[in-house]
């Protein structure tokens, strides 16, 4: 197999390459993170609750629904089950990506599944074989990016209140 064909079929073995590959999407998700932070604040989650949701759920659509349910007084069980069902599409992503992951132990694959988003899947799925370091670069860059922009939305939420209702309307 020649070098040019191998580079197309197998991802780079570098965290930095994963970060560089996903970097254009980081700016694109910034407004959604800001709006989510402001929305979570408006729904009564507070700064700690809104940031905790981003840290522990890490799925934009599920976070918006979960925050909305919280604001309507739904129980934690209802919120957890609803966000679980919203995120079931990620099992399809995982089923597609799993056989292509190189050198990832089962325990690492479980952890990788938490960080799998639409954006990171789009970046890594272009390869027939994906090296773990490349995946981690893309996935963790998106995770930390989302945390930062959620926090920006949370701390500036009172200033963005009119914008949030306009955006979600």
């Amino acid at each position: 197999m020649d070098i040019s064909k191998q580079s197309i079929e197998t991802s780079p073995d570098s965290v930095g390459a994963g970060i560089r590959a996903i970097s254009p999407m980081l700016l694109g998700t910034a407004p959604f993170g800001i709006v989510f932070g402001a929305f979570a604040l408006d729904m009564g989650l507070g700064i700690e609750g809104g940031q905790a949701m981003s840290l522990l759920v890490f799925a934009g659509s599920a976070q918006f629904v979960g925050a909305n349910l919280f604001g309507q007084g739904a129980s934690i069980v209802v919120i957890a089950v609803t966000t679980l069902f919203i995120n079931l599409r990620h099992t399809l992503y995982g089923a597609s990506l799993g056989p292509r992951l190189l050198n990832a132990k089962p325990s690492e694959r479980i952890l990788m599944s938490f960080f799998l988003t639409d954006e990171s899947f789009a970046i890594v799925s272009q390869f027939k074989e994906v090296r773990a370091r490349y995946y981690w670069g893309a996935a963790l860059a998106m995770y930390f990016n989302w945390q930062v922009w959620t926090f920006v939305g949370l701390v500036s939420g009172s200033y963005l209140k009119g914008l949030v209702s306009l955006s979600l309307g």
Side-chain angles (χ1 to χ4, degrees):
M1 175 181 289
D2 68 60
I3 296 288
S4 63
K5 187 173 183 180
Q6 183 180 6
S7 66
I8 293 171
E9 292 183 359
T10 304
S11 73
D13 191 17
S14 161
V15 170
I19 293 169
R20 284 187 298 280
I22 204 162
S23 62
M25 292 185 183
L26 300 180
L27 188 57
T29 57
F32 297 102
I34 293 169
V35 170
F36 170 72
F39 182 68
L41 199 61
D42 195 41
M43 291 292 104
L45 282 167
I47 291 176
E48 297 86 1
Q51 195 68 57
M53 185 173 261
S54 278
L55 287 166
L56 300 173
V57 176
F58 187 45
S61 58
Q63 288 179 232
F64 276 101
V65 171
N68 188 32
L69 288 171
F70 181 85
Q72 294 178 19
S75 72
I76 297 299
V77 172
V78 168
I79 294 169
V81 169
T82 302
T83 57
L84 173 72
F85 278 108
I86 291 170
N87 288 326
L88 281 178
R89 74 183 184 280
H90 291 192
T91 59
L92 297 174
Y93 292 165
S96 171
L97 182 59
R100 296 188 274 163
L101 285 172
L102 298 176
N103 304 326
K105 296 176 184 172
S107 58
E108 184 179 18
R109 289 171 185 252
I110 291 169
L111 187 57
M112 288 171 140
S113 69
F114 173 78
F115 294 96
L116 185 59
T117 61
D118 300 339
E119 296 85 2
S120 60
F121 179 76
I123 293 301
V124 301
S125 67
Q126 65 186 319
F127 299 102
K128 289 183 180 180
E129 295 178 328
V130 180
R131 292 189 169 104
R133 283 188 235 175
Y134 182 79
Y135 173 86
W136 282 118
L140 290 177
M142 184 56 71
Y143 182 77
F144 290 117
N145 178 68
W146 185 255
Q147 303 315 314
V148 167
W149 292 114
T150 294
F151 184 74
V152 169
L154 287 164
V155 297
S156 62
S158 60
Y159 301 108
L160 300 172
K161 196 170 191 163
L163 179 64
V164 170
S165 61
L166 176 66
S167 296
L168 295 176

